[in-house]
Protein backbone atom coordinates (compact mmCIF):
# COMPACT_ATOMS: atom_id res chain seq x y z
CA UNK A 1 0.00 0.00 0.00
CA UNK A 2 1.34 3.45 -0.94
CA UNK A 3 0.03 6.96 -0.39
CA UNK A 4 0.65 10.47 -1.70
CA UNK A 5 -0.38 13.46 0.44
CA UNK A 6 -1.23 16.78 -1.19
CA UNK A 7 -0.86 20.03 0.74
CA UNK A 8 -1.51 23.64 -0.21
CA UNK A 9 2.23 24.11 -0.84
CA UNK A 10 2.95 20.89 -2.75
CA UNK A 11 2.78 17.12 -2.43
CA UNK A 12 4.73 14.43 -0.62
CA UNK A 13 6.84 11.76 -2.24
CA UNK A 14 5.33 8.30 -2.56
CA UNK A 15 4.91 7.10 1.04
CA UNK A 16 5.16 3.30 1.29
CA UNK A 17 3.34 1.65 4.19
CA UNK A 18 5.69 -1.34 4.09
CA UNK A 19 7.84 -0.50 7.11
CA UNK A 20 5.63 1.96 8.94
CA UNK A 21 3.52 -0.43 10.99
CA UNK A 22 2.82 1.04 14.44
CA UNK A 23 0.34 -1.53 15.73
CA UNK A 24 -2.26 -3.88 14.34
CA UNK A 25 -5.67 -4.73 15.75
CA UNK A 26 -8.46 -6.80 14.22
CA UNK A 27 -9.07 -5.46 10.67
CA UNK A 28 -7.18 -2.27 11.58
CA UNK A 29 -3.63 -1.12 10.91
CA UNK A 30 -2.17 2.14 12.22
CA UNK A 31 0.77 3.87 10.53
CA UNK A 32 2.95 6.68 11.84
CA UNK A 33 3.93 8.97 8.96
CA UNK A 34 6.21 12.02 9.03
CA UNK A 35 5.40 14.57 6.34
CA UNK A 36 7.45 17.63 5.36
CA UNK A 37 6.49 20.60 7.52
CA UNK A 38 6.34 22.90 4.48
CA UNK A 39 3.62 20.82 2.79
CA UNK A 40 0.94 23.11 4.20
CA UNK A 41 -2.61 22.09 5.11
CA UNK A 42 -3.46 18.73 3.55
CA UNK A 43 -6.34 18.84 1.07
CA UNK A 44 -6.12 15.48 -0.71
CA UNK A 45 -4.83 11.91 -0.28
CA UNK A 46 -4.12 9.47 -3.11
CA UNK A 47 -4.02 5.87 -2.00
CA UNK A 48 -3.13 2.83 -4.08
CA UNK A 49 -1.26 -0.38 -4.63
CA UNK A 50 2.37 -0.47 -5.65
CA UNK A 51 2.30 -1.43 -9.32
CA UNK A 52 2.99 -5.11 -9.84
CA UNK A 53 1.87 -6.60 -13.11
CA UNK A 54 1.96 -10.17 -11.83
CA UNK A 55 -0.06 -9.41 -8.73
CA UNK A 56 -3.80 -10.05 -8.86
CA UNK A 57 -4.37 -9.84 -5.11
CA UNK A 58 -7.02 -7.34 -4.04
CA UNK A 59 -7.33 -5.13 -0.99
CA UNK A 60 -10.68 -4.08 0.46
CA UNK A 61 -10.50 -0.69 2.17
CA UNK A 62 -13.26 -0.03 4.65
CA UNK A 63 -12.34 3.12 6.56
CA UNK A 64 -9.62 5.77 6.68
CA UNK A 65 -8.80 7.91 9.71
CA UNK A 66 -6.02 10.51 9.90
CA UNK A 67 -4.99 12.67 12.85
CA UNK A 68 -2.48 15.49 13.10
CA UNK A 69 -0.62 14.57 16.29
CA UNK A 70 0.29 18.21 16.98
CA UNK A 71 -3.11 19.91 16.55
CA UNK A 72 -5.21 16.75 17.10
CA UNK A 73 -7.31 17.71 14.06
CA UNK A 74 -8.90 14.45 12.88
CA UNK A 75 -10.28 13.38 9.52
CA UNK A 76 -12.50 10.30 8.99
CA UNK A 77 -13.68 8.79 5.72
CA UNK A 78 -15.64 5.66 4.89
CA UNK A 79 -14.19 4.18 1.67
CA UNK A 80 -15.66 0.70 1.12
CA UNK A 81 -13.74 0.11 -2.11
CA UNK A 82 -11.50 -2.65 -3.40
CA UNK A 83 -8.12 -2.03 -5.00
CA UNK A 84 -7.43 -2.50 -7.81
CA UNK A 85 -10.86 -1.37 -8.94
CA UNK A 86 -10.92 -4.27 -11.40
CA UNK A 87 -8.56 -7.07 -12.41
CA UNK A 88 -5.39 -5.29 -13.62
CA UNK A 89 -7.39 -2.10 -13.28
CA UNK A 90 -6.81 1.36 -11.87
CA UNK A 91 -4.74 0.96 -8.70
CA UNK A 92 -5.52 4.39 -7.26
CA UNK A 93 -8.34 6.08 -5.41
CA UNK A 94 -8.17 9.60 -4.10
CA UNK A 95 -10.30 11.69 -1.83
CA UNK A 96 -10.41 15.25 -0.43
CA UNK A 97 -9.49 15.89 3.18
CA UNK A 98 -12.22 17.65 5.14
CA UNK A 99 -10.64 19.42 8.10
CA UNK A 100 -12.89 21.29 10.55
CA UNK A 101 -13.89 24.77 9.30
CA UNK A 102 -12.18 24.21 5.94
CA UNK A 103 -14.13 23.70 2.72
CA UNK A 104 -13.08 20.53 0.91
CA UNK A 105 -12.83 19.93 -2.83
CA UNK A 106 -15.14 17.39 -4.43
CA UNK A 107 -14.43 14.14 -6.29
CA UNK A 108 -14.98 14.46 -10.04
CA UNK A 109 -15.28 11.83 -12.78
CA UNK A 110 -13.20 12.84 -15.79
CA UNK A 111 -13.65 11.56 -19.34
CA UNK A 112 -10.34 11.22 -21.15
CA UNK A 113 -10.67 10.42 -24.87
CA UNK A 114 -7.61 9.30 -26.82
CA UNK A 115 -7.55 9.75 -30.60
CA UNK A 116 -4.94 7.50 -32.20
CA UNK A 117 -4.18 5.23 -35.14
CA UNK A 118 -2.96 1.87 -33.89
CA UNK A 119 -3.02 1.67 -30.10
CA UNK A 120 -5.97 -0.74 -29.95
CA UNK A 121 -4.19 -3.40 -32.00
CA UNK A 122 -1.15 -3.21 -29.68
CA UNK A 123 -2.95 -2.71 -26.38
CA UNK A 124 -2.19 -6.15 -24.89
CA UNK A 125 1.56 -5.55 -25.19
CA UNK A 126 1.54 -1.92 -24.08
CA UNK A 127 1.78 -0.18 -20.74
CA UNK A 128 0.54 3.36 -21.09
CA UNK A 129 -0.36 5.87 -18.39
CA UNK A 130 -1.41 9.51 -18.23
CA UNK A 131 -1.03 11.96 -15.37
CA UNK A 132 -3.33 14.99 -15.63
CA UNK A 133 -2.22 18.26 -14.01
CA UNK A 134 -4.36 21.21 -13.00
CA UNK A 135 -4.38 24.12 -10.58
CA UNK A 136 -5.31 21.72 -7.73
CA UNK A 137 -2.58 19.14 -8.26
CA UNK A 138 -2.46 16.01 -10.38
CA UNK A 139 -4.02 12.56 -10.74
CA UNK A 140 -0.78 10.61 -10.61
CA UNK A 141 -0.14 7.96 -13.28
CA UNK A 142 -3.45 6.40 -14.38
CA UNK A 143 -3.58 3.48 -16.79
CA UNK A 144 -5.08 4.33 -20.19
CA UNK A 145 -5.64 0.76 -21.32
CA UNK A 146 -7.33 -1.01 -18.41
CA UNK A 147 -10.98 -0.14 -19.07
CA UNK A 148 -11.77 1.22 -22.51
CA UNK A 149 -15.23 2.48 -23.37
CA UNK A 150 -16.85 4.04 -26.44
CA UNK A 151 -14.26 2.36 -28.65
CA UNK A 152 -14.40 3.65 -32.25
CA UNK A 153 -12.20 1.91 -34.80
CA UNK A 154 -11.75 2.72 -38.51
CA UNK A 155 -9.08 2.02 -41.11
CA UNK A 156 -6.88 4.97 -40.21
CA UNK A 157 -8.42 6.44 -37.07
CA UNK A 158 -9.54 5.15 -33.71
CA UNK A 159 -10.61 6.59 -30.39
CA UNK A 160 -11.45 5.28 -26.95
CA UNK A 161 -12.67 6.68 -23.68
CA UNK A 162 -10.99 6.22 -20.28
CA UNK A 163 -12.80 7.16 -17.07
CA UNK A 164 -10.74 8.65 -14.23
CA UNK A 165 -12.07 9.55 -10.79
CA UNK A 166 -10.05 12.25 -9.06
CA UNK A 167 -10.38 15.12 -6.63
CA UNK A 168 -11.27 18.12 -8.79
CA UNK A 169 -8.20 19.48 -10.56
CA UNK A 170 -9.37 23.03 -11.33
CA UNK A 171 -8.19 24.48 -14.65
CA UNK A 172 -6.25 21.77 -16.52
CA UNK A 173 -2.84 22.68 -17.93
CA UNK A 174 -0.94 19.55 -19.03
CA UNK A 175 -0.94 15.78 -19.48
CA UNK A 176 2.17 13.63 -18.95
CA UNK A 177 2.23 10.37 -20.95
CA UNK A 178 4.37 7.34 -20.04
CA UNK A 179 4.63 4.59 -22.68
CA UNK A 180 6.42 1.24 -22.60
CA UNK A 181 5.96 -2.08 -24.41
CA UNK A 182 6.88 -5.75 -24.18
CA UNK A 183 7.83 -5.72 -27.87
CA UNK A 184 9.11 -3.13 -30.31
CA UNK A 185 6.25 -1.21 -31.88
CA UNK A 186 5.16 2.16 -33.25
CA UNK A 187 2.27 4.16 -31.87
CA UNK A 188 0.58 7.09 -33.55
CA UNK A 189 -1.24 9.36 -31.09
CA UNK A 190 -3.12 12.33 -32.51
CA UNK A 191 -4.72 14.13 -29.56
CA UNK A 192 -6.39 13.78 -26.17
CA UNK A 193 -9.68 15.37 -25.10
CA UNK A 194 -10.43 15.85 -21.40
CA UNK A 195 -13.60 17.01 -19.70
CA UNK A 196 -15.73 16.45 -16.63
CA UNK A 197 -18.20 13.59 -17.18
CA UNK A 198 -21.21 15.56 -15.98
CA UNK A 199 -20.47 18.63 -18.07
CA UNK A 200 -20.54 18.98 -21.84
CA UNK A 201 -17.98 21.79 -21.67
CA UNK A 202 -15.27 22.91 -21.26
CA UNK A 203 -13.30 20.37 -23.31
CA UNK A 204 -9.52 20.60 -22.88
CA UNK A 205 -7.69 19.61 -26.07
CA UNK A 206 -4.11 18.31 -25.92
CA UNK A 207 -2.59 18.02 -29.40
CA UNK A 208 0.02 15.23 -29.55
CA UNK A 209 0.46 14.44 -33.29
CA UNK A 210 3.42 12.17 -32.76
CA UNK A 211 4.45 8.68 -33.88
CA UNK A 212 6.27 6.97 -30.99
CA UNK A 213 8.87 4.28 -31.64
CA UNK A 214 8.67 2.10 -28.55
CA UNK A 215 11.65 -0.19 -27.92
CA UNK A 216 11.16 -3.07 -25.50
CA UNK A 217 14.80 -2.86 -24.34
CA UNK A 218 14.76 0.87 -23.66
CA UNK A 219 13.27 2.88 -20.78
CA UNK A 220 9.69 4.07 -21.04
CA UNK A 221 8.96 7.11 -23.17
CA UNK A 222 7.82 10.22 -21.34
CA UNK A 223 6.02 13.11 -23.03
CA UNK A 224 4.70 16.29 -21.40
CA UNK A 225 1.84 17.77 -23.45
CA UNK A 226 0.57 21.25 -22.53
CA UNK A 227 -3.06 22.14 -23.19
CA UNK A 228 -3.44 23.33 -26.81
CA UNK A 229 -6.79 25.07 -26.47
CA UNK A 230 -10.07 24.88 -24.57
CA UNK A 231 -13.49 24.48 -26.19
CA UNK A 232 -15.81 26.51 -23.98
CA UNK A 233 -18.88 25.41 -25.91
CA UNK A 234 -22.46 26.55 -26.15
CA UNK A 235 -22.48 28.56 -22.94
CA UNK A 236 -19.82 30.86 -24.36
CA UNK A 237 -21.72 31.01 -27.66
CA UNK A 238 -25.02 31.63 -25.86
CA UNK A 239 -23.48 34.41 -23.79
CA UNK A 240 -22.28 36.09 -26.99
CA UNK A 241 -25.66 35.53 -28.71
CA UNK A 242 -27.51 36.90 -25.68
CA UNK A 243 -25.31 39.98 -25.58
CA UNK A 244 -25.80 40.52 -29.31
CA UNK A 245 -29.53 40.05 -28.83
CA UNK A 246 -29.55 42.58 -25.99
CA UNK A 247 -27.52 45.02 -28.05
CA UNK A 248 -29.81 44.41 -31.02
CA UNK A 249 -32.91 44.96 -28.89
CA UNK A 250 -31.34 48.06 -27.42
CA UNK A 251 -30.48 49.32 -30.91
CA UNK A 252 -34.05 48.69 -32.08
CA UNK A 253 -35.36 50.78 -29.16
CA UNK A 254 -33.09 53.74 -29.92
CA UNK A 255 -34.32 56.87 -31.66
CA UNK A 256 -32.09 58.88 -34.02
CA UNK A 257 -32.08 62.67 -33.83
CA UNK A 258 -30.56 65.09 -36.35
CA UNK A 259 -29.28 68.21 -34.62
CA UNK A 260 -28.56 71.40 -36.61
CA UNK A 261 -26.62 74.06 -34.68
CA UNK A 262 -26.64 77.64 -36.07
CA UNK A 263 -23.73 79.89 -34.98
CA UNK A 264 -24.49 83.63 -35.30
CA UNK A 265 -22.99 85.80 -38.04
CA UNK A 266 -21.25 88.50 -36.02
CA UNK A 267 -17.79 89.28 -34.78
CA UNK A 268 -16.43 86.74 -32.22
CA UNK A 269 -19.46 84.46 -32.63
CA UNK A 270 -17.47 81.21 -33.15
CA UNK A 271 -15.91 79.04 -30.46
CA UNK A 272 -13.21 76.39 -30.15
CA UNK A 273 -14.57 75.11 -26.84
CA UNK A 274 -16.15 71.67 -26.44
CA UNK A 275 -19.93 71.83 -26.84
CA UNK A 276 -22.40 69.45 -25.20
CA UNK A 277 -26.18 68.97 -25.40
CA UNK A 278 -28.93 67.21 -23.40
CA UNK A 279 -32.43 66.62 -24.81
CA UNK A 280 -35.53 66.68 -22.56
CA UNK A 281 -38.75 64.98 -23.72
CA UNK A 282 -42.19 64.12 -22.36
CA UNK A 283 -41.10 60.55 -21.57
CA UNK A 284 -37.41 60.81 -20.63
CA UNK A 285 -34.20 62.81 -20.98
CA UNK A 286 -31.10 61.86 -22.94
CA UNK A 287 -27.59 61.36 -21.67
CA UNK A 288 -24.99 64.11 -22.26
CA UNK A 289 -23.74 64.16 -25.87
CA UNK A 290 -20.52 65.89 -26.96
CA UNK A 291 -21.10 67.62 -30.31
CA UNK A 292 -17.71 67.08 -31.90
CA UNK A 293 -18.22 65.33 -35.27
CA UNK A 294 -19.93 67.86 -37.53
CA UNK A 295 -21.19 66.40 -40.81
CA UNK A 296 -20.24 69.61 -42.68
CA UNK A 297 -17.13 71.09 -41.10
CA UNK A 298 -13.95 69.69 -39.61
CA UNK A 299 -13.80 72.73 -37.31
CA UNK A 300 -17.39 73.22 -36.03
CA UNK A 301 -19.12 76.26 -34.48
CA UNK A 302 -17.48 78.94 -36.66
CA UNK A 303 -19.08 82.31 -37.39
CA UNK A 304 -22.15 82.16 -39.63
CA UNK A 305 -21.97 78.37 -40.12
CA UNK A 306 -24.51 75.57 -39.64
CA UNK A 307 -23.23 72.26 -38.22
CA UNK A 308 -25.20 69.00 -38.36
CA UNK A 309 -24.83 66.16 -35.86
CA UNK A 310 -26.59 62.80 -35.55
CA UNK A 311 -27.16 61.11 -32.20
CA UNK A 312 -29.03 57.99 -31.07
CA UNK A 313 -30.67 57.77 -27.69
CA UNK A 314 -33.60 56.11 -25.93
CA UNK A 315 -37.17 57.10 -26.78
CA UNK A 316 -37.76 60.57 -25.29
CA UNK A 317 -41.28 61.41 -26.47
CA UNK A 318 -42.06 64.98 -27.57
CA UNK A 319 -39.09 67.31 -26.98
CA UNK A 320 -39.82 70.35 -24.85
CA UNK A 321 -36.38 71.75 -23.98
CA UNK A 322 -32.63 71.30 -24.33
CA UNK A 323 -29.53 72.11 -22.33
CA UNK A 324 -26.62 73.26 -24.49
CA UNK A 325 -23.31 74.73 -23.37
CA UNK A 326 -19.52 74.46 -23.51
CA UNK A 327 -16.54 73.91 -21.20
CA UNK A 328 -14.92 77.35 -21.71
CA UNK A 329 -11.70 75.84 -23.09
CA UNK A 330 -9.62 77.28 -25.92
CA UNK A 331 -8.78 80.83 -27.00
CA UNK A 332 -11.81 83.13 -27.18
CA UNK A 333 -14.22 80.43 -26.05
CA UNK A 334 -17.25 82.77 -26.00
CA UNK A 335 -19.94 81.59 -28.45
CA UNK A 336 -22.94 83.34 -29.98
CA UNK A 337 -25.58 80.67 -30.57
CA UNK A 338 -28.43 81.63 -32.85
CA UNK A 339 -30.65 78.54 -32.67
CA UNK A 340 -30.81 74.73 -32.58
CA UNK A 341 -33.12 72.66 -34.81
CA UNK A 342 -33.71 69.02 -33.87
CA UNK A 343 -35.45 66.45 -36.11
CA UNK A 344 -36.83 63.21 -34.65
CA UNK A 345 -36.13 60.93 -37.64
CA UNK A 346 -38.62 58.29 -36.45
CA UNK A 347 -41.57 60.71 -36.72
CA UNK A 348 -40.05 63.52 -38.84
CA UNK A 349 -41.03 65.97 -36.10
CA UNK A 350 -38.91 69.15 -36.09
CA UNK A 351 -38.26 71.14 -32.92
CA UNK A 352 -36.73 74.63 -33.00
CA UNK A 353 -35.01 76.17 -29.97
CA UNK A 354 -34.07 79.82 -30.41
CA UNK A 355 -31.20 81.19 -28.37
CA UNK A 356 -29.92 84.45 -30.02
CA UNK A 357 -27.29 85.13 -27.39
Amino acid sequence: LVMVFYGRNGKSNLVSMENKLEHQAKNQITYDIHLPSDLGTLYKVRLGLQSSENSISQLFLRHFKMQNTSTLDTFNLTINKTLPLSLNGDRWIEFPVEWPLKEALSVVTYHLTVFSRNILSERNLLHMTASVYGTHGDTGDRSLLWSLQNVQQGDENESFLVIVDAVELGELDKVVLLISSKTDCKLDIKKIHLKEALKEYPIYVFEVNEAFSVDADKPEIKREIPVSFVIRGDKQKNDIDNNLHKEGSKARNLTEYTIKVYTGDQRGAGTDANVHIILFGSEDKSEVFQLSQSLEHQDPFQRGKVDTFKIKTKKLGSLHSIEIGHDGKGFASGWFLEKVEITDTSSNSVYCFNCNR
Side-chain angles (χ1 to χ4, degrees):
L1 190 65
V2 288
M3 297 185 196
V4 180
F5 296 86
Y6 289 76
R8 295 298 170 192
N9 301 329
K11 68 176 181 178
S12 73
N13 293 325
L14 209 63
V15 180
S16 171
M17 302 294 111
E18 193 174 7
N19 299 313
K20 298 187 183 301
L21 183 61
E22 185 76 8
H23 64 266
Q24 183 170 353
K26 185 181 179 183
N27 295 331
Q28 179 180 310
I29 304 173
T30 302
Y31 299 100
D32 197 6
I33 297 168
H34 298 275
L35 296 176
S37 58
D38 58 357
L39 210 57
T41 305
L42 298 182
Y43 71 88
K44 162 175 149 177
V45 176
R46 185 150 47 86
L47 186 151
L49 296 176
Q50 192 75 278
S51 180
S52 173
E53 291 193 18
N54 298 325
S55 170
I56 57 169
S57 60
Q58 292 187 316
L59 177 67
F60 180 71
L61 300 163
R62 188 184 301 280
H63 196 77
F64 182 88
K65 178 180 177 181
M66 179 166 62
Q67 184 177 56
N68 183 323
T69 55
S70 300
T71 64
L72 299 184
D73 280 341
T74 305
F75 165 69
N76 287 282
L77 178 75
T78 298
I79 298 177
N80 286 335
K81 285 186 178 179
T82 300
L83 281 175
L85 299 179
S86 70
L87 193 63
N88 293 325
D90 195 351
R91 296 174 178 271
W92 294 100
I93 57 173
E94 54 180 56
F95 44 84
V97 179
E98 298 179 20
W99 295 115
L101 304 178
K102 290 194 183 297
E103 188 177 354
L105 299 171
S106 55
V107 176
V108 172
T109 298
Y110 288 96
H111 279 181
L112 188 153
T113 305
V114 179
F115 296 85
S116 54
R117 200 172 71 84
N118 57 346
I119 286 180
L120 294 173
S121 59
E122 306 281 355
R123 59 181 290 195
N124 293 327
L125 301 170
L126 280 174
H127 181 65
M128 187 170 168
T129 66
S131 184
V132 184
Y133 288 74
T135 51
H136 298 153
D138 60 86
T139 61
D141 296 335
R142 303 297 187 95
S143 172
L144 292 183
L145 301 174
W146 69 274
S147 177
L148 309 187
Q149 301 189 33
N150 288 11
V151 176
Q152 310 281 330
Q153 199 160 12
D155 293 338
E156 287 294 319
N157 296 298
E158 62 188 22
S159 65
F160 55 89
L161 171 68
V162 180
I163 295 174
V164 175
D165 288 327
V167 171
E168 61 180 294
L169 295 164
E171 286 283 322
L172 307 184
D173 51 49
K174 69 177 178 181
V175 169
V176 176
L177 290 178
L178 293 174
I179 306 167
S180 61
S181 175
K182 295 175 183 175
T183 62
D184 297 351
C185 63
K186 285 198 172 185
L187 298 180
D188 195 342
I189 304 177
K190 299 182 183 303
K191 61 182 176 178
I192 295 171
H193 282 190
L194 248 165
K195 73 178 190 72
E196 291 186 25
L198 296 178
K199 295 179 182 177
E200 195 172 354
Y201 299 100
I203 300 171
Y204 292 82
V205 180
F206 300 84
E207 297 276 7
V208 184
N209 293 321
E210 186 173 349
F212 297 91
S213 294
V214 188
D215 192 328
D217 298 325
K218 289 186 179 177
E220 62 186 358
I221 295 171
K222 181 178 181 178
R223 284 293 183 279
E224 186 173 300
I225 302 137
V227 65
S228 302
F229 57 92
V230 183
I231 303 170
R232 297 291 175 185
D234 287 344
K235 182 185 183 305
Q236 189 177 34
K237 180 178 180 295
N238 288 341
D239 287 347
I240 293 169
D241 288 347
N242 288 338
N243 288 335
L244 289 174
H245 178 70
K246 286 177 188 171
E247 292 299 324
S249 300
K250 205 186 288 180
R252 283 194 293 275
N253 293 327
L254 294 179
T255 301
E256 185 177 79
Y257 293 90
T258 301
I259 301 173
K260 285 184 176 290
V261 180
Y262 293 76
T263 300
D265 189 8
Q266 56 183 273
R267 189 178 175 193
T271 185
D272 293 325
N274 300 304
V275 175
H276 72 267
I277 191 169
I278 305 172
L279 281 54
F280 296 84
S282 57
E283 296 180 22
D284 209 340
K285 72 170 186 175
S286 75
E287 58 269 49
V288 179
F289 286 96
Q290 299 296 325
L291 300 179
S292 55
Q293 301 290 322
S294 170
L295 298 182
E296 286 90 2
H297 310 109
Q298 191 172 355
D299 192 10
F301 315 119
Q302 297 307 302
R303 175 178 172 174
K305 303 291 185 186
V306 179
D307 293 286
T308 306
F309 305 88
K310 288 187 182 292
I311 65 168
K312 285 183 180 178
T313 187
K314 54 201 163 186
K315 191 176 178 183
L316 303 176
S318 298
L319 300 186
H320 57 73
S321 59
I322 61 170
E323 176 190 302
I324 190 164
H326 62 74
D327 59 4
K329 291 185 177 177
F331 176 71
S333 59
W335 179 39
F336 189 91
L337 173 62
E338 189 177 305
K339 64 179 179 179
V340 177
E341 284 180 2
I342 300 177
T343 303
D344 180 343
T345 57
S346 64
S347 63
N348 274 334
S349 303
V350 181
Y351 304 87
C352 187
F353 301 92
N354 289 308
C355 182
N356 288 317
R357 64 181 186 271

